[in-house]
Amino acid sequence: MPENRVISHAFVLPDRNFHEWLAVLRPYLEKFERVAVARSPAGNNLNRFRNVTAVDAPLTWWKDSALTHIRRIYPSVVMVDVIDVETPEALAPILRRRIENDDRYGEREDDPQHIFQRFVIEWPTSARPIAALARFNADDDRGALHRSLDILTHEDAEILCAAAGRVTAVGDSVKVESLVDNERWITTYEGLKNRHVALGDEVELGQVIARAAGDVLGIIVQQPPNGGMRLLGLENVVNPRDAIYIPQFRVRPLVDNLRVRKLPSAHASIIGHVFSWHLLEPQEHHGRAIEKVGVEGSWLKVSSVSGIEGYTAAWYLRATTLEEGQEAFPGVNPIGVNLDVYHPKGKPPAVRLGELGWVRFGYNVSQWRGSEDIAAAFQRYAPYVEAYREAGYRVIFTTSHQTYGEAKAEFSPWSQMTDTKWRLLIGRFADMMERIAAQWAERELVNAWQIWNEPDSLSAVASVPLSADNYGIMFDQVYRAIRSADSGVHIVTAGFNSGPQRGSAYARRMLQVMGDDIRPDGLAFHPYGRGVSGHPYYSMFGHIDESVWAYSSVLPDKPLWITEWGVLDRPNDNPANIARYATDMIRYLKRQYPGRIAALIWYAWAQGMHNGFGLVDRAGNPRPPLTERFLSA
C-alpha cells in the first residue's frame, strides 16, 4: 500500500480558464504523486505547503509577481517554483519536459532562475517537546537584550544541523555558514558538548553536530554583510524566529474539550471543540506559533482534520510534529480480521483477505493441557505467519492464559488466584515471553504483541481477569521481557472490554503501577455492542465515540488498537445488516479519527470461531454482501 505522506507541494493555477489549465496539468499529476492543485492564490492558504509551483500568469498575483505575492502573504512557504507563462498552451511543453526528465520542479533548467529558496532553520534538537524558553529581544524598551532564541533541549540530546552548510567555527559553540540564493547566513549553536564536527566540514540538514550540555540550546542567526543589526558584540544579527520551519508541524491540546473560537479572544463565539488526542495544524508562521505555545494569554489559529478552523488558547497546547502522532503504521489499512490456526476454516489463504491490512492470532502454547513447548508453538504458527507477511499483511499476536498458565495446578481454579499466585505466574510468563519474542524477532515477522486478553472482563468467558494492579505488574515485566529480545516490535495492552468508563479507569490504574520508564505502544479495547448511529441492534451499549474519547484521554500521544469488534451470539442475522453495520463503523472511524486507530480487527473470519459473526460461513464460503464489502473496506 502507498505510504501516507503529507502533501508538501502545491501547484497554483490561474482562476481564469481554470479547467483549460487543469487539463494541461493532468499528465503532470499522474507522473508526480502528492501534488495539491490550488485554483488561484485567492482563498487558498499556501502556508501549509513547503513548496509551491506557481503559474505566473497576468491578473493572478499581487503586483503580477508570484514570488513577491508568496513571500509577502505566505511566509511559511520555503521554495517557490515560478513558471512564467500566459496561456495553457505555453505551459504544456514545460510540463512535458519535466515529466520526461522526472524533474518535478524543473531543477535541471536553472536559466533563467525560476526556483527561489528561503533560508530556514529546522528544529535543531532531538529532545521533545518542542518549546521556546526565551525569545530573541533587540528592543531596549522590552528589557534586557537577548541575541539568541533559546529552546528547550535535554542534557545529552542530539543537536542537529538546522541548515546545511560549512562549519566556520568550533569552540564553546558551533557556527555553520549557509548560502541560499546567493545570500549568506550564519547559524550559531550555543550550549554544546561532545562536538562531532570540525572546522571546514560540510554538514547536511539533520546531521548530528554535538550533544546538548544542558537543558537550553541557544540559536543565533546572522545575515552578513548587510542584514540585521549590531547586538551585544555581533554584527548582522536577525531574529531566528522568522527562519524557523518545522516539517509536519502540529500542536496537541493538553486538555479535552478545548474551545475553538472565531476570534482570538475568550469573549469570541465558540465554533468547535478539540481534544487531547487531536493533532492540530497551526495556521500561522511556525516560529511565531512556537513563541505562543504554552504562553498564558496567547491565541493560536489552528485547523483540525475535521475541518474546524479558528483560534484556541495557546497556553493549553503542546508543540509536536505529525510523525510523533498516533499513526503507528503509515499507509497500512487498519482493517483486519481475527484468525485461528486450530479452526478448520480459520486460516484462509492470504489471497482471500483482499484489501485488509492486519491478521491477529491468539498465541496458544499450552494446548489446553499446560504445555510449555514454545518450539512446537513456533512451528505451528510460523508457516501461516510467513505466508501472510509475504502477502503484505501485518501480524499481531495476543497472549493469554493459553500462552502460559492454563491447566497448571498451582493456578487452578482461576477464581481463587491470589496476589502471590499472580506474582508467580507473571514471573514465569515474562520468562517464557522473552524466549518466544526472541524466536520471532530473528524472522522479523511479528508487528505487534498484545499482553494478555480482556483482563478487566466482568466475566471469565474467553479470558482470565485480574486486578488492575496485578495487570500493571504483568505488563511492566512482560513488556521488558519482550523488548529485551525485540527492540522494534510494537507492544500494546490487552483488549479492555468492560466499557469506556470502567475500562479507561482500569487502564489509568495499571499505568500508575508500571515503572515510569515503561509505556505501552498503544491501548487496545474491544467495543462489542458499540457502533455508529442507525444500528440499534448492534450498538446497544452506545456510540463508538464514547470509547474512543475515554481511551484516548488515557494515553493521548499513542494510537488506539481495536483488536476485537463485531457481532456476537447472532449467527443467523442477515449478512446484509451486518455489512451495513461494519462498513458504517469503518467509514466513520477512518473519517473522524484518521491515523488514530492503528488496527480495527473483526471477530472473526469464519462462522464457528467461538461466538463471533464470521465473514465466511462454516464451510468457508462467502456471506454476501458482507464478505466482499468488508474485504474492500
Side-chain angles (χ1 to χ4, degrees):
M1 297 180 182
E3 183 183 356
N4 185 15
R5 300 186 305 276
V6 174
I7 296 176
S8 61
H9 178 204
F11 205 116
V12 186
L13 298 174
D15 185 53
R16 181 179 296 181
N17 301 322
F18 171 76
H19 292 289
E20 295 179 18
W21 291 99
L22 182 59
V24 171
L25 183 62
R26 289 197 186 282
Y28 180 93
L29 299 177
E30 293 174 1
K31 170 66 176 179
F32 300 106
E33 295 181 349
R34 313 297 290 174
V35 183
V37 179
R39 181 172 180 168
S40 91
N44 287 295
N45 182 8
L46 300 180
N47 273 322
R48 63 187 296 254
F49 303 103
R50 184 190 189 280
N51 303 326
V52 172
T53 297
V55 174
D56 207 4
L59 304 178
T60 300
W61 304 90
W62 182 63
K63 291 190 175 182
D64 269 345
S65 170
L67 180 63
T68 301
H69 186 144
I70 292 172
R71 287 289 184 250
R72 178 183 176 89
I73 307 299
Y74 306 112
S76 291
V77 174
V78 175
M79 190 193 84
V80 183
D81 163 32
V82 178
I83 301 181
D84 189 7
V85 294
E86 297 188 4
T87 66
E89 293 75 16
L91 176 63
I94 296 174
L95 297 184
R96 279 198 300 271
R97 289 196 299 272
R98 294 189 177 192
I99 293 169
E100 291 169 358
N101 295 330
D102 194 18
D103 187 9
R104 180 188 288 258
Y105 302 110
E107 293 172 277
R108 297 184 185 181
E109 301 179 20
D110 56 0
D111 188 21
Q113 182 180 3
H114 61 91
I115 296 176
F116 302 89
Q117 300 280 358
R118 179 169 67 86
F119 172 74
V120 295
I121 51 177
E122 296 191 7
W123 203 248
T125 173
S126 62
R128 293 295 184 270
I130 293 173
L133 300 176
R135 299 184 181 190
F136 172 88
N137 181 8
D139 187 347
D140 285 311
D141 295 333
R142 292 167 55 192
L145 299 181
H146 198 62
R147 66 187 185 183
S148 66
L149 171 68
D150 291 350
I151 67 175
L152 176 68
T153 187
H154 301 306
E155 185 176 0
D156 291 322
E158 293 178 337
I159 302 304
L160 312 172
C161 176
R166 182 174 58 87
V167 178
T168 57
V170 177
D172 293 337
S173 60
V174 170
K175 294 180 184 288
V176 177
E177 181 174 319
S178 307
L179 188 66
V180 178
D181 281 355
N182 296 317
E183 291 184 334
R184 290 177 60 212
W185 299 85
I186 298 174
T187 306
T188 302
Y189 307 79
E190 297 183 321
L192 311 179
K193 67 178 182 180
N194 300 338
R195 285 159 288 278
H196 299 331
V197 295
L199 187 66
D201 284 356
E202 294 290 336
V203 289
E204 299 178 352
L205 180 66
Q207 180 178 333
V208 177
I209 60 175
R211 295 279 177 173
D215 294 334
V216 180
L217 175 67
I219 299 294
I220 300 172
V221 176
Q222 297 165 268
Q223 188 187 9
N226 301 312
M229 64 189 72
R230 180 178 176 81
L231 183 62
L232 299 176
L234 288 180
E235 301 287 348
N236 309 119
V237 181
V238 298
N239 192 342
R241 173 200 66 192
D242 298 331
I244 289 177
Y245 178 86
I246 303 174
Q248 305 179 18
F249 182 41
R250 297 293 187 272
V251 291
R252 186 195 298 283
L254 297 174
V255 297
D256 289 332
N257 216 31
L258 182 63
R259 299 177 181 92
V260 181
R261 298 182 181 272
K262 188 174 183 179
L263 296 172
S265 166
H267 303 292
S269 59
I270 299 170
I271 58 176
H273 296 81
V274 290
F275 296 82
S276 57
W277 58 90
H278 286 159
L279 286 175
L280 310 175
E281 186 172 4
Q283 298 299 299
E284 301 182 23
H285 183 276
H286 294 184
R288 293 178 177 86
I290 287 294
E291 289 188 337
K292 291 182 178 182
V293 169
V295 177
E296 187 83 22
S298 295
W299 294 83
L300 184 66
K301 189 174 184 180
V302 298
S303 66
S304 72
V305 293
S306 60
I308 300 173
E309 183 171 311
Y311 294 87
T312 195
W315 58 98
Y316 289 124
L317 299 175
R318 171 185 181 273
T320 184
T321 62
L322 190 61
E323 66 182 14
E324 290 184 290
Q326 304 96 344
E327 194 164 6
F329 298 88
V332 176
N333 185 4
I335 313 305
V337 66
N338 278 271
L339 303 180
D340 185 352
V341 297
Y342 294 98
H343 191 278
K345 301 299 179 182
K347 41 189 182 298
V351 70
R352 296 198 63 187
L353 298 183
E355 298 299 317
L356 299 185
W358 286 90
V359 294
R360 175 179 179 256
F361 292 94
Y363 205 74
N364 186 338
V365 177
S366 77
Q367 293 282 280
W368 302 279
R369 54 183 172 80
S371 172
E372 297 183 28
D373 190 344
I374 66 171
F378 179 85
Q379 293 301 322
R380 188 161 50 246
Y381 287 97
Y384 301 106
V385 172
E386 288 174 348
Y388 293 125
R389 284 296 291 124
E390 185 176 353
Y393 300 101
R394 284 3 186 229
V395 175
I396 178 171
F397 277 134
T398 183
T399 61
S400 69
H401 62 291
Q402 290 188 329
T403 311
Y404 180 81
E406 183 180 61
K408 297 288 187 182
E410 61 263 55
F411 307 130
S412 180
W414 291 111
S415 60
Q416 296 181 19
M417 286 287 285
T418 63
D419 289 348
T420 300
K421 289 183 177 181
W422 274 116
R423 302 297 195 278
L424 178 63
L425 183 148
I426 289 167
R428 295 177 182 175
F429 178 39
D431 177 69
M432 175 181 279
M433 284 309 305
E434 181 176 1
R435 291 180 285 122
I436 290 174
Q439 290 176 309
W440 289 99
E442 295 176 0
R443 304 287 189 91
E444 297 184 347
L445 295 172
V446 180
N447 300 98
W449 285 100
Q450 192 166 13
I451 299 177
W452 214 248
N453 185 56
E454 299 180 352
D456 62 325
S457 180
L458 299 175
S459 61
V461 177
S463 61
V464 174
L466 63 159
S467 71
D469 283 32
N470 283 328
Y471 183 63
I473 295 169
M474 174 186 284
F475 192 94
D476 184 294
Q477 292 190 25
V478 177
Y479 180 100
R480 294 179 192 276
I482 294 174
R483 187 62 75 220
S484 69
D486 191 339
S487 61
V489 74
H490 286 68
I491 307 173
V492 303
T493 68
F496 304 124
N497 78 332
S498 59
Q501 284 71 42
R502 188 179 187 278
S504 63
Y506 184 101
R508 291 181 190 279
R509 178 57 190 168
M510 66 86 97
L511 290 174
Q512 292 173 359
V513 174
M514 292 159 45
D516 292 338
D517 59 327
I518 298 294
R519 279 296 176 267
D521 294 319
L523 287 181
F525 63 100
H526 298 167
Y528 289 114
R530 290 188 175 270
V532 298
S533 301
H535 299 280
Y537 290 114
Y538 308 125
S539 305
M540 71 289 289
F541 297 138
H543 200 282
I544 189 60
D545 279 346
E546 297 174 20
S547 295
V548 173
W549 295 348
Y551 290 111
S552 290
S553 66
V554 178
L555 280 178
D557 60 341
K558 299 293 185 180
L560 296 178
W561 299 63
I562 300 177
T563 48
E564 285 184 28
W565 69 292
V567 175
L568 302 182
D569 300 318
R570 302 179 70 99
N572 299 319
D573 280 17
N574 189 333
N577 295 336
I578 308 295
R580 284 193 294 272
Y581 162 68
T583 53
D584 285 353
M585 177 89 137
I586 290 168
R587 291 192 192 104
Y588 181 82
L589 290 174
K590 283 187 172 182
R591 181 182 68 249
Q592 193 69 15
Y593 303 105
R596 188 78 186 107
I597 311 298
L600 181 60
I601 303 178
W602 182 265
Y603 192 87
W605 170 255
Q607 196 77 348
M609 286 174 55
H610 199 50
N611 59 340
F613 199 98
L615 297 180
V616 299
D617 64 21
R618 289 180 181 273
N621 299 315
R623 306 182 76 183
L626 171 62
T627 311
E628 180 181 359
R629 291 183 184 176
F630 192 94
L631 296 185
S632 61

